[in-house]
Amino acid sequence: MEDMYDESGRDWPHDPDGEEGSEGGRKYGMAVLSKKVEEDEDFPLQKEAFVAEYGDDPVRINYETVVSVADIFEHVEAEEYSDKVDFWKQVGQGMRAGDLWDYHPGGE
């Protein structure tokens, strides 16, 4: 995957494609965020606390785009998530609203 690159020019706290960012493999978007929450321990989860802890971390959106967790959550409206399913629904809506995600179910 040497063709992976980061056009953002930002100085990330860790390499989005390195061990800390992707655990040795290429993980994108929600897969990266998934590693940051535990179903049994972290919910209900407050948006403000999550962004305070992980906001500067890089998230690879696709082969050419890397954004911060904070950049993603600028587009997420909900302030609290009751469980992991609620978290994913809200984050997915935010990513689509911010044009960070190409997938739009139902052709939206």
Side-chain angles (χ1 to χ4, degrees):
M1 292 280 177
E2 292 182 18
D3 59 342
M4 302 292 280
Y5 56 97
D6 172 14
E7 293 183 342
S8 71
R10 291 182 63 173
D11 184 22
W12 299 111
H14 60 265
D15 177 358
D17 301 318
E19 280 298 311
E20 190 173 345
S22 63
E23 298 178 350
R26 298 298 181 251
K27 294 190 176 51
Y28 300 86
M30 287 204 180
V32 174
L33 294 174
S34 182
K35 299 296 181 182
K36 299 180 184 303
V37 293
E38 294 293 328
E39 180 73 51
D40 298 332
E41 300 172 19
D42 294 332
F43 294 93
L45 179 66
Q46 299 293 320
K47 174 181 173 178
E48 184 177 343
F50 185 79
V51 173
E53 184 169 353
Y54 299 110
D56 291 335
D57 286 5
V59 176
R60 181 168 290 287
I61 299 297
N62 57 39
Y63 74 96
E64 62 185 359
T65 306
V66 178
V67 299
S68 71
V69 169
D71 291 340
I72 291 170
F73 277 82
E74 284 180 18
H75 306 284
V76 178
E77 292 183 15
E79 296 295 325
E80 180 178 279
Y81 319 100
S82 58
D83 57 27
K84 208 167 187 176
V85 172
D86 182 38
F87 179 78
W88 294 130
K89 286 180 181 179
Q90 298 299 328
V91 171
Q93 288 174 354
M95 289 177 74
R96 285 187 290 278
D99 287 327
L100 297 173
W101 215 13
D102 294 333
Y103 175 69
H104 297 272
E108 294 174 17

